[in-house]
Amino acid sequence: MAIRDYIRERFFPHLWCSGCGHGMVLNALLRAIEALGINKSDIVMVSGIGCSSRISGYVDFHTLHTIHGRALAFATGVKMSRPELNLIVPMGDGDALAIGGNHFIHTARRNIDITAIIMNNRIYGMTGGQYSPLSGFGTMATTAPYSNIDHDFDVVELATAAGASFVARSTTYHVQQLTEIFQEAISHKGFSAVEVLTQCPEYFGRKNKLGTPADMLKQYKEITTPIGSKRKQENPELIERGIFVQKEIPEYCSEYDKIIKQAKKTARSEAT
Ligand SMILES: Cc1ncc(C[n+]2csc(CCOP(=O)(O)OP(=O)(O)O)c2C)c(N)n1
Ligand code: SF4
């Protein structure tokens, strides 16, 4: 299947601002799915609300555009009733980790086979540039005109601590790496968390005087480095990119299946 077959052309042009990173994430994701050769009827994309969540409108998979912060809860329901399908959940940093933070932690902990994409632009884009839990201390936002005093946290560390069996990070600058990471994440049996640093030139960029979208992309090149690189040892403030966790542990739907079989067996033996 070609990339074109995976999109709903009737909904283009898309609504993202020019220079927004979300379209680059969509591009890398579609290339990963094409490389894996997955039939589009075998994919369910579930999203919440946000500029990032609008991705689900553009792909010709089974799609559910649900409510802000709850995409993983909906996706869990779909996956448990149709475990043979591939569940992909794109979320903004606000969607995934502010209102949806609790769902994120517990979906990771259960290790249900869902691919979660956290499109981290460090801002609430859709609602006008309010600061998010990932904006970071000292940044500017429409709701922090004198600078933000909230501290952020590391998404990779949070996902790892919550028990995700696949955890990775890349950026919209590193599209080749991002495509490869998406392939690994979708193929992984268990909960996969992929953080993507993606630019919102309209709010985060403008408020923080980060220049053009191209400037913001170049900054991703400068502020990140491959996991364990020499540059990281010399510059501890650099953000690492790559796959941090990739391990096999029991997957939730498979374990749930065993419980059902056991319960049925017990019920049968009690009936005789
Ligand atoms: C329950 C609920 N609370 C708040 C909102 C308003 N709202 C819509 S999108 C959004 C945040 C969007 O930011 P993010 O998830 O980071 O995605 P982005 O738009 O930056 O891609 C908020 C607060 C809502 N739609 N529903
Ligand atoms: S407001 Fe920001 S996140 Fe939303 S479409 Fe525009 S650039 Fe992208």
Side-chain angles (χ1 to χ4, degrees):
M1 233 178 228
I3 296 263
R4 244 196 153 80
D5 299 320
Y6 289 122
I7 56 173
R8 292 176 181 149
E9 282 190 68
R10 65 188 185 280
F11 291 132
F12 283 78
H14 59 70
L15 54 64
W16 295 309
C17 308
S18 45
C20 176
H22 292 345
M24 297 173 179
V25 180
L26 171 61
N27 186 358
L29 180 65
L30 293 180
R31 282 175 198 283
I33 292 169
E34 185 200 28
L36 291 171
I38 308 175
N39 190 307
K40 62 181 179 183
S41 332
D42 293 333
I43 304 173
V44 186
M45 182 178 276
V46 185
S47 67
I49 302 293
C51 298
S52 37
S53 298
R54 294 299 294 256
I55 274 199
S56 62
Y58 302 122
V59 292
D60 203 22
F61 310 143
H62 301 290
T63 57
L64 280 153
H65 197 185
T66 68
I67 48 179
H68 190 45
R70 311 291 180 226
L72 284 171
F74 279 88
T76 297
V78 175
K79 183 70 186 175
M80 289 197 70
S81 63
R82 296 291 304 274
E84 73 281 11
L85 298 177
N86 295 284
L87 267 289
I88 302 176
V89 182
M91 297 172 285
D93 44 308
D95 195 38
L97 294 162
I99 190 170
N102 207 21
H103 292 296
F104 182 81
I105 291 168
H106 295 290
T107 313
R109 179 178 62 79
R110 286 195 182 116
N111 195 38
I112 189 163
D113 188 12
I114 291 174
T115 301
I117 303 169
I118 303 98
M119 296 159 71
N120 180 7
N121 58 13
R122 306 178 68 190
I123 205 90
Y124 288 0
M126 177 164 271
T127 41
Q130 297 87 351
Y131 62 85
S132 90
L134 298 177
S135 295
F137 185 87
T139 54
M140 307 296 270
T142 51
T143 46
Y146 306 109
S147 112
N148 182 21
I149 56 167
D150 273 24
H151 295 277
D152 59 348
F153 53 76
D154 186 316
V155 180
V156 162
E157 285 180 16
L158 179 83
T160 305
S165 52
F166 183 98
V167 183
R169 180 194 286 128
S170 192
T171 86
T172 46
Y173 180 86
H174 303 90
V175 277
Q176 189 60 45
Q177 179 188 46
L178 187 57
T179 304
E180 287 162 15
I181 284 177
F182 281 150
Q183 285 184 51
E184 293 282 339
I186 294 166
S187 310
H188 177 74
K189 183 140 169 87
F191 185 76
S192 311
V194 180
E195 181 188 15
V196 188
L197 306 185
T198 170
Q199 73 278 8
C200 169
E202 194 57 37
Y203 288 110
F204 193 79
R206 204 200 296 245
K207 284 276 162 199
N208 291 285
K209 299 191 171 36
L210 297 177
T212 64
D215 293 332
M216 292 182 80
L217 279 173
K218 279 187 215 142
Q219 284 150 24
Y220 288 145
K221 185 182 175 205
E222 283 148 21
I223 64 167
T224 67
T225 187
I227 297 172
S229 69
K230 194 159 171 278
R231 260 185 88 217
K232 174 72 181 174
Q233 285 154 26
E234 289 158 1
N235 307 280
E237 74 288 354
L238 290 177
I239 301 167
E240 288 179 298
R241 290 182 282 109
I243 298 174
F244 295 81
V245 179
Q246 191 168 22
K247 62 182 180 187
E248 276 185 38
I249 53 173
E251 191 275 329
Y252 197 73
C253 292
S254 307
E255 295 306 305
Y256 192 70
D257 225 32
K258 290 183 200 164
I259 298 292
I260 293 171
K261 284 196 183 102
Q262 183 62 48
K264 281 185 179 161
K265 204 171 143 196
T266 309
R268 269 198 305 273
S269 66
E270 279 172 3
T272 52

